[in-house]
Amino acid sequence: MTASRVRVVRASPGLVWRALDGDDVIGAASAFLRPDGRWFVHIDLCRDDSYEPLLAAVGENTGSDLYAMADERDKQRLALLGRLGFTVNRRESLVVIPTDPQITGLHVTDEPDGVVIISANDAYEDQLRLLDDALRQDVPGSSGWKWDPGDFNEETFGHQFDPATYLVAVEVASGEYIGLVRVWKRPGKPRLGLIGVLGPHRQQGLARILLARVFRVLHQRGQAEVAAEIDETNAPSRALLLPLGAKVVGGFVEFIRPHGAAQ
Ligand SMILES: CC(C)(COP(=O)(O)OP(=O)(O)OC[C@H]1O[C@@H](n2cnc3c(N)ncnc32)[C@H](O)[C@@H]1OP(=O)(O)O)[C@@H](O)C(=O)NCCC(=O)NCCS
């Protein structure tokens, strides 16, 4: 067996690794750490003998399991991740949901007694962040999520923010934030980022009320559809969203490679 000539260097700045053969760059990987402590890695499709050394270097630097996402139709990437020791962790359906109330059956109604709905623009940011953290504990694949306040501000109020489609439900008596819906602005279709209600307030129609309000805004603007991802195991979310006339248009697969799983 000949010794491999491939060496891996971490490129500066940022979390990018390059595989070199002599002076030739033969592969690259990038990684980012999510607020739930999961490291996601993206490998460029390149020379076959670059992949394993790249992943080994990323794994060694992060000291962590590695996660990767792939489009379910991207057979080449699915096969590659399988060869590199990744296994399927979970799957998401990509759906488009109409906003027309005649199709969804979502008609705007009053808030439930003791609840008001406000725009995220008028919310206390720290309270909103803690609600977001709490809701994500119940979203498959994001348990353990804990925002850094600065990152939350950047993501929430960045270029995707739309104050008319990011709403928060507040319990009047306690002032507690108990649910939210957010639809992000995007080129093409707007995207449902999250619909969530805290445990004690579920199954009282609040999610449907929140969705009805933001979908009305979108429908009135002529935005006929919203894109959303739904985890295949998230039964409440599927039961809420699929009957609105949602069409499944694709899917994503999340993979995991346990730390130290060198091939
Ligand atoms: C999904 C979620 C937002 C639903 O909120 P909710 O306020 O309880 O939903 P609603 O009361 O408006 O329910 C509307 C419909 O959804 C369906 N539904 C909601 N929760 C359900 C459950 N646990 N089991 C079965 N169906 C459910 C029902 O069809 C219900 O209509 P019905 O009450 O007339 O039967 C809530 O369970 C939640 O916050 N989950 C955690 C966060 C999450 O996973 N969000 C989705 C990811 S984007």
Side-chain angles (χ1 to χ4, degrees):
M1 200 171 102
T2 54
S4 169
R5 294 175 306 173
V6 176
R7 65 197 170 90
V8 173
V9 294
R10 198 163 98 203
S12 168
L15 294 177
V16 176
W17 289 256
R18 296 215 170 84
L20 304 173
D21 183 349
D23 290 336
D24 297 335
V25 178
I26 56 159
S30 55
F32 69 95
L33 176 63
R34 283 202 331 199
D36 55 6
R38 294 175 175 85
W39 277 97
F40 277 75
V41 65
H42 176 82
I43 321 164
D44 291 348
L45 291 180
C46 41
R47 219 170 85 181
D48 218 40
D49 58 345
S50 71
Y51 299 133
E52 188 47 49
L54 277 168
L55 284 176
V58 178
E60 195 178 316
N61 286 164
T62 60
S64 168
D65 298 344
L66 297 179
Y67 291 81
M69 291 297 283
D71 188 311
E72 67 178 17
R73 291 162 303 190
D74 187 345
K75 302 295 176 221
Q76 195 183 1
R77 188 165 291 276
L78 297 178
L80 173 65
L81 292 170
R83 273 205 321 274
L84 292 170
F86 283 87
T87 56
V88 174
N89 193 40
R90 55 183 204 91
R91 293 174 190 271
E92 285 178 353
S93 315
L94 175 62
V95 301
V96 291
I97 308 171
T99 57
D100 184 346
Q102 300 304 330
I103 306 174
T104 60
L106 288 176
H107 297 283
V108 171
T109 53
D110 289 343
E111 288 114 332
D113 282 347
V115 174
V116 291
I117 295 176
I118 61 172
S119 164
N121 239 1
D122 302 321
Y124 291 110
E125 193 174 318
D126 286 345
Q127 231 181 306
L128 182 58
R129 171 172 49 80
L130 295 175
L131 173 67
D132 187 298
D133 282 346
L135 292 171
R136 285 180 190 261
Q137 307 312 311
D138 293 341
V139 178
S142 55
S143 61
W145 196 282
K146 191 170 185 316
W147 276 112
D148 165 78
D151 292 345
F152 177 73
N153 176 279
E154 209 173 295
E155 166 154 316
T156 302
F157 301 106
H159 60 281
Q160 305 189 94
F161 179 62
D162 182 342
T165 64
Y166 193 148
L167 304 181
V168 185
V170 185
E171 187 179 54
V172 177
S174 62
E176 198 194 347
Y177 291 3
I178 59 174
L180 68 78
V181 60
R182 60 171 165 250
V183 173
W184 298 118
K185 276 196 286 195
R186 279 234 308 233
K189 287 186 203 350
R191 172 174 167 257
L192 177 65
L194 182 63
I195 171 75
V197 172
L198 289 181
H201 303 276
R202 287 185 191 151
Q203 297 200 266
Q204 296 165 32
L206 191 51
R208 280 178 67 90
I209 291 172
L210 288 165
L211 285 173
R213 294 202 176 201
V214 294
F215 281 19
R216 175 175 63 179
V217 172
L218 297 166
H219 180 61
Q220 285 173 347
R221 286 181 187 159
Q223 292 176 295
E225 289 180 325
V226 173
E229 294 104 41
I230 315 178
D231 184 277
E232 287 193 352
T233 64
N234 193 343
S237 173
R238 299 182 82 79
L240 171 71
L241 298 174
L242 294 179
L244 302 179
K247 283 190 303 255
V248 178
V249 294
F252 297 100
V253 187
E254 183 185 284
F255 287 88
I256 182 169
R257 177 172 132 132
H259 182 49
Q263 294 298 289

